[in-house]
Amino acid sequence: MSDVLLDVVDAEFRYARGMAPAASGINLQVRPGDAVGIVGESGSGKTTIGRGLVGSLLPSAGSVLVQGRRWKSVSRRDPVRRTVQMVFQDPYASLNPMLSALATVAEVFRVWDKVSADVATSRAEQVLAEVGLSGEVIRRRPALLSGGQRQRVGIARALACSPQVLVADEPTSALDVSVQANVLNLLLDLKASRGLALVLISHDLSVVDYLTDRALVMLNGEVVEQGETQTLLKNPGHEYTKTLIGSIPGTSLTTAS
Amino acid sequence: MNTELLRINGLGVEIAGLPVLSEVSLSLPTNGVLGLVGETGSGKSLTCRALMGLLPRINGKVVAGSITFDGVSLTDLDEPGWARVRGREIGFVPQASLNALDPVMTVGAQLREAVSHLDPDVDAKARSLELLDLVRLPQVREVLRRYPHELSGGMRQRVMIALALAGRPRLLLADEPTTALDVTVQKAILEVFADLRTSTGMGLLLVTHDLGVVADVADTVAVMYGGTVVEFGRAADVMSTPSHPYTAALLGARPATRGRNERLTTIPGVPAVPGQWPAGCRFSPRCAFARDECHHVQPTMLQAADGRSRACHGWPDPSEEAPAHV
Amino acid sequence: MTATTQTPSTTPRRSPHWLRLPHWKFAQRRPRGALALGLALLAVIVLATIFVPMLSPYTATAIAGKPLMAPSWLHWFGTDTAGRDVFVRTWVGGRNDLLMVVLVVLGSSIIGTLVGVVASMSSPLTDSILMRFTDALISFPGMIIVMAIALVFSGVGEIGPFPRGALPAVIAIIAINWASYTRLVRGEALSLRSRDFITAATLLGYSKSRIIARHLLPNLATTVGAYMVVDAIVAVVTIAGMPFIGAGIQPPAPEWGSLMLAGSTVLYSAWWVTVMPGLVVTVYGIALSLIADSLLAEIDGGAR
């Protein structure tokens, strides 16, 4: 049990008391090195689960444990907080427009490692280099970065506090295909080099298939199917999963190449 | 009857003196479906604007080439001329059209308004019902009474398409019509397009960034990069054996084409930005096969024996080429 | 079309609608030209308030000629009922007005911004208490409160460069004026808070004060700055209006409002006593609204 980083047990999430649950009956364990996909369409509750995993939304029933502890008991400066970090869908909105890439990442080291500005900057340079950003680019503000570069900065900021799990909510949906490939390659590399566990929230089955080993299929706030990604895609059990797979455009394309 | 509905030949466009499109060439047969593919900033939406005569509104103008619709040149049309073409000859489903409906008018009122404007001789109410049937909306009478916010995204997009069909256009231009929609809804909308093609006999120009969508619905495809068309041909051919390095790279970048945990093909560098085109081939700074001449001479569209054309100095094989459009 | 367009879900940052005065087409089309013109006009006014009193042969309070002399080479803006030079009184008065405006705008914006940011970051209860108080201030008839406060402090004499009555007026105006900044800032801060970079900061365990200082305030600066310029117009109108209700700077110290008030009794026979300072106030208003409009155009344009 000790190696379970995130443990979701019969969790239910509501945005307000009295409102219908946005997701319920969720069970999920994330161990080091895991790659889990959460698939669904808009309104399926997949983003809600993401918020629950990082502790920004507390379950209204059941529990979400991070390193065996409830999020509610994890204070702002608790080292347990470093376990999970998030990568957002909209790379522009996820960065402070007034801070350069370097300042954004360095701030994490200033806060968590209590180091001087110089040390924080040089550590930030290292992390940014790890995500493929170096040189003059890292001194730019987000408005002067491309979409792909912004998403790398967002990933670097998450990495700066040395998390063990990365929760990525549609990390490539706002990006062009060729840029998406760069970010997916990066996530793949990080999984290998850092032994990061990855929770990938996406509507795109091809991305989930590419990156994850296990997956949950969500519909209307409930998990309709859960299992090994490949099995799930090859032999879908639930009607909805079949519909989803049948809706992926360009299946002919995949076999042709 | 001309079997070629639309031909764009060597189109060049400037906005406020800045070149944003050059050497855009493509064609669409009557009742054909053309996929116009490209990434952000490739010029696909601007090509749409040029086709709808909407360039003057963004201070742009055609500086080279021609647009021919059913044998008639649209290039020198004045504003009243465009007003006769828009909606009646060419229907338009604009980008981000999910919020383009008037929030304080019912769907029925908006449809009747469009019909009485574009097709004044028919009974607007009956025609509205017919239009909603065409886009396969269920419970049409119910939908007519609804306000846009009461409809789902997919339903709103169907209404937008119905509006574009009100003037019985012979060409429907759809700019990223399924981008903001869920995949299951996207599939249904694409099926609507396929139906419309048979039921109305019109041509469809589908602008998208998604090669998968093109593979599913288009019979010809034009790939745009850096404000120009780099490859044009039958969709099946282009998708299975791309003849331009950019098309090949785009196809290789799709996660579906790779096994799990296998690195995807990426394109180095950043996309060309309008006004800062590189010298020579627009793609040359990012091209793995670029040679010396690629950095100096902009390639023109050349047609190969199989009817496909591309603008490339010769990857993978420079033989068997003859100038296009002679 | 730059890479910025790769993020379709980014909502463009626009200035709040109520900050939009009727726009000058000039400022919308050529923000930089409008900004330059506005700054130039403002500079002329500021320089005049500094140098006219220094260089003029007359002083603001001494009698310079016969009463109610029409504008001439000797007295550019004429003389008033007591025979004092209106030109020098206008610029000495302008200095008093501008000093008060600077204090009012700085004081209101600092207090208002802090309260607004704190409200946006507080619990719903604290937030609603703060905002109900703010609403109450805004909905009260401002001039009555200003008058009351100014009268309470009317015993305060001359302090530094401020003539008698100036500081009580400044305090009175700040006391109600900060609330409009609070409304503006809270709304903007709430919309910023919903952006993912604030969520990211929270997930990283950043403290509230860090989030406010590093992530909220810098992003509010342009909006608050533009509003400060708009507010500087409103403030001058308020300050100049105070003599009409017996508050504000006390005679014989000049001030734009009291100059115009003094001239109103002789408006038909000696228009210059009222109209000349009025023209200066108008130019001041035009200068600031050109600056404000061009700043707003920049904020809106920056979204694209």
Side-chain angles (χ1 to χ4, degrees):
Chain A
M1 193 65 196
S2 63
D3 71 329
V4 179
L5 299 169
L6 282 172
D7 194 3
V8 185
V9 187
D10 281 328
E12 176 199 84
F13 299 96
R14 292 171 198 263
Y15 282 98
R17 211 171 291 164
M19 257 171 80
S24 62
I26 311 298
N27 285 288
L28 173 67
Q29 289 195 334
V30 181
R31 292 188 165 80
D34 276 0
V36 186
I38 301 179
V39 190
E41 298 187 283
S42 49
S44 65
K46 59 186 195 301
T47 295
T48 306
I49 298 181
R51 293 192 55 188
L53 288 175
V54 298
S56 76
L57 185 67
L58 298 175
S60 48
S63 62
V64 178
L65 304 178
V66 50
Q67 308 249 31
R69 289 175 45 199
R70 284 172 188 269
W71 269 114
K72 203 173 182 173
S73 73
V74 179
S75 74
R76 204 159 46 69
R77 308 308 303 273
D78 196 318
V80 166
R81 183 168 286 281
R82 303 175 73 147
T83 313
V84 190
Q85 279 302 318
M86 191 155 192
V87 176
F88 300 87
Q89 169 171 7
D90 182 342
Y92 188 67
S94 70
L95 297 176
N96 183 342
M98 304 298 282
L99 292 182
S100 71
L102 193 58
T104 297
V105 180
E107 187 175 18
V108 184
F109 291 109
R110 292 279 281 168
V111 169
W112 281 103
D113 299 355
K114 300 264 188 331
V115 292
S116 70
D118 289 346
V119 177
T121 304
S122 75
R123 286 186 193 174
E125 277 169 355
Q126 279 172 30
V127 179
L128 284 164
E130 192 181 343
V131 300
L133 293 175
S134 57
E136 159 271 341
V137 171
I138 62 175
R139 298 186 186 275
R140 293 192 199 160
R141 288 182 183 180
L144 295 174
L145 297 173
S146 72
Q149 288 168 336
R150 288 175 196 155
Q151 198 55 294
R152 286 164 190 271
V153 177
I155 293 171
R157 173 182 55 197
L159 293 179
C161 75
S162 313
Q164 290 165 277
V165 187
L166 217 51
V167 176
D169 188 357
E170 302 274 9
T172 59
S173 314
L175 304 175
D176 277 322
V177 193
S178 67
V179 184
Q180 159 175 303
N182 282 300
V183 173
L184 292 179
N185 277 344
L186 173 62
L187 289 174
L188 202 65
D189 293 347
L190 291 173
K191 230 169 68 172
S193 64
R194 288 194 172 229
L196 266 181
L198 183 70
V199 177
L200 180 76
I201 299 166
S202 179
H203 72 282
D204 190 336
L205 280 173
S206 63
V207 172
V208 171
D209 183 29
Y210 177 67
L211 273 181
T212 68
D213 307 317
R214 276 186 296 139
L216 282 67
V217 181
M218 302 279 306
L219 175 66
N220 298 331
E222 277 167 28
V223 179
V224 295
E225 198 167 355
Q226 185 164 5
E228 255 183 56
T229 310
Q230 269 183 316
T231 325
L232 211 82
L233 292 177
K234 277 208 188 97
N235 301 307
H238 195 277
E239 264 320 298
Y240 179 68
T241 317
K242 287 179 194 163
T243 313
L244 262 188
I245 294 169
S247 303
I248 306 176
T251 29
S252 58
L253 197 61
T254 314
T255 46
S257 342
Chain B
M1 176 98 189
N2 200 333
T3 54
E4 191 169 71
L5 183 62
L6 174 74
R7 168 168 289 279
I8 299 181
N9 224 339
L11 184 72
V13 166
E14 287 184 356
I15 293 178
L18 201 71
V20 288
L21 293 181
S22 73
E23 288 294 325
V24 174
S25 298
L26 50 85
S27 69
L28 174 65
T30 308
N31 203 13
V33 179
L34 170 69
L36 189 59
V37 197
E39 296 187 283
T40 310
S42 62
K44 52 194 196 307
S45 290
L46 278 168
T47 306
C48 276
R49 278 188 163 265
L51 262 177
M52 293 301 292
L54 295 172
L55 288 173
R57 299 187 189 183
I58 50 170
N59 201 10
K61 63 171 193 283
V62 174
V63 292
S66 62
I67 304 171
T68 316
F69 182 77
D70 198 20
V72 181
S73 169
L74 301 185
T75 327
D76 305 314
L77 234 47
D78 54 2
E79 186 53 33
W82 274 115
R84 282 191 294 276
V85 170
R86 274 184 222 129
R88 293 183 176 87
E89 303 289 340
I90 307 179
F92 188 35
V93 182
Q95 196 175 359
S97 58
L98 283 184
N99 299 316
L101 292 165
D102 187 335
V104 297
M105 274 168 84
T106 62
V107 166
Q110 295 184 54
L111 273 170
R112 283 194 299 278
E113 187 184 34
V115 170
S116 54
H117 176 64
L118 293 167
D119 197 3
D121 299 334
V122 300
D123 173 31
K125 188 150 189 220
R127 176 69 176 152
S128 301
L129 289 169
E130 197 181 309
L131 285 170
L132 290 185
D133 273 335
L134 272 177
V135 295
R136 293 249 202 105
L137 265 171
Q139 298 164 308
V140 278
R141 279 168 202 287
E142 181 64 26
V143 172
L144 283 177
R145 282 196 298 272
R146 301 266 178 187
Y147 287 92
H149 71 267
E150 298 175 299
L151 304 177
S152 68
M155 290 168 92
R156 267 180 283 167
Q157 190 61 293
R158 284 168 203 251
V159 173
M160 282 306 298
I161 298 168
L163 280 170
L165 296 175
R168 304 176 197 268
R170 282 182 295 161
L171 171 65
L172 186 66
L173 211 68
D175 191 356
E176 301 274 8
T178 59
T179 301
L181 301 173
D182 280 323
V183 278
T184 49
V185 184
Q186 163 169 288
K187 190 180 183 216
I189 296 283
L190 294 179
E191 279 165 5
V192 167
F193 283 130
D195 282 356
L196 285 173
R197 182 188 189 180
T198 33
S199 59
T200 66
M202 65 178 189
L204 174 67
L205 199 161
L206 182 70
V207 179
T208 178
H209 67 280
D210 191 334
L211 288 161
V213 169
V214 171
D216 280 359
V217 297
D219 24 61
T220 45
V221 58
V223 182
M224 290 196 76
Y225 181 83
T228 187
V229 173
V230 294
E231 180 163 9
F232 178 78
R234 278 187 51 218
D237 296 345
V238 173
M239 298 292 177
S240 57
T241 52
S243 73
H244 193 284
Y246 176 65
T247 318
L250 265 191
L251 284 161
R254 304 181 75 242
T257 57
R258 283 289 188 279
R260 61 186 48 234
N261 299 354
E262 195 184 325
R263 289 179 67 86
L264 299 167
T265 315
T266 59
I267 308 178
V270 289
V273 174
Q276 298 167 26
W277 305 130
C281 173
R282 303 276 160 81
F283 189 58
S284 59
R286 308 176 70 192
C287 182
F289 306 95
R291 301 185 306 236
D292 204 34
E293 68 172 323
C294 300
H295 297 294
H296 299 105
V297 186
Q298 186 178 358
T300 48
M301 285 292 267
L302 295 176
Q303 194 163 34
D306 56 358
R308 298 168 60 178
S309 45
R310 61 167 170 147
C312 180
H313 286 306
W315 171 89
D317 178 15
S319 62
E320 51 166 355
E321 273 171 15
H325 324 306
V326 279
Chain C
M1 221 182 288
T2 63
T4 331
T5 50
Q6 280 179 355
T7 56
S9 52
T10 306
T11 39
R13 215 164 110 71
R14 308 206 61 173
S15 51
H17 68 92
W18 57 276
L19 240 173
R20 292 155 184 277
L21 302 169
H23 273 307
W24 302 49
K25 274 198 176 147
F26 173 57
Q28 289 292 295
R29 293 222 181 111
R30 319 201 51 177
R32 279 166 209 283
L35 186 64
L37 180 61
L39 287 174
L41 288 174
L42 186 64
V44 168
I45 291 174
V46 170
L47 291 176
T49 62
I50 296 171
F51 290 108
V52 169
M54 281 167 59
L55 302 177
S56 168
Y58 313 115
T59 66
T61 47
I63 288 163
K66 279 186 254 169
L68 301 180
M69 288 165 68
S72 65
W73 279 115
L74 220 53
H75 303 285
W76 291 1
F77 285 7
T79 60
D80 67 3
T81 46
R84 293 171 297 195
D85 183 70
V86 176
F87 188 68
V88 79
R89 279 179 70 74
T90 298
W91 295 114
V92 172
R95 191 179 59 196
N96 291 332
D97 279 286
L98 292 189
L99 282 173
M100 288 168 75
V101 165
V102 168
L103 284 191
V104 164
V105 170
L106 280 180
S108 319
S109 60
I110 291 170
I111 296 172
T113 303
L114 283 180
V115 177
V117 170
V118 167
S120 76
M121 295 287 290
S122 302
S123 66
L125 181 69
T126 322
D127 178 39
S128 78
I129 292 173
L130 282 173
M131 292 322 290
R132 289 303 78 76
F133 182 64
T134 310
D135 287 343
L137 264 185
I138 290 175
S139 56
F140 247 72
M143 264 303 183
I144 292 178
I145 303 182
V146 168
M147 205 163 75
I149 300 176
L151 290 178
V152 167
F153 288 100
S154 60
V156 180
E158 189 180 323
I159 299 172
F162 298 99
R164 201 162 74 82
L167 284 182
V170 166
I171 292 166
I173 298 174
I174 291 176
I176 56 157
N177 191 41
W178 62 267
S180 53
Y181 285 88
T182 299
R183 273 245 151 267
L184 169 74
V185 164
R186 176 178 169 272
E188 282 281 286
L190 282 180
S191 89
L192 281 174
R193 272 195 66 184
S194 69
R195 303 256 297 267
D196 286 338
F197 71 88
I198 301 291
T199 314
T202 318
L203 294 183
L204 284 161
Y206 292 173
S207 64
K208 258 188 195 177
S209 53
R210 171 173 285 272
I211 291 176
I212 290 176
R214 291 262 291 176
H215 299 280
L216 281 179
L217 285 181
N219 284 294
L220 291 165
T222 38
T223 311
V224 173
Y227 186 69
M228 284 167 78
V229 180
V230 176
D231 194 35
I233 305 175
V234 181
V236 128
V237 173
T238 313
I239 292 167
M242 290 177 76
F244 289 80
I245 54 170
I249 291 182
Q250 298 303 306
E255 182 272 328
W256 286 338
S258 58
L259 286 178
M260 289 188 272
L261 177 64
S264 63
T265 51
V266 290
L267 185 58
Y268 295 102
S269 54
W271 52 269
W272 54 87
V273 184
T274 308
V275 171
M276 297 316 260
L279 278 179
V280 173
V281 177
T282 308
V283 172
Y284 166 87
I286 290 173
L288 286 186
S289 65
L290 279 172
I291 297 171
D293 267 3
S294 54
L295 286 180
L296 291 177
E298 290 275 302
I299 294 177
D300 292 352
R304 259 168 274 128

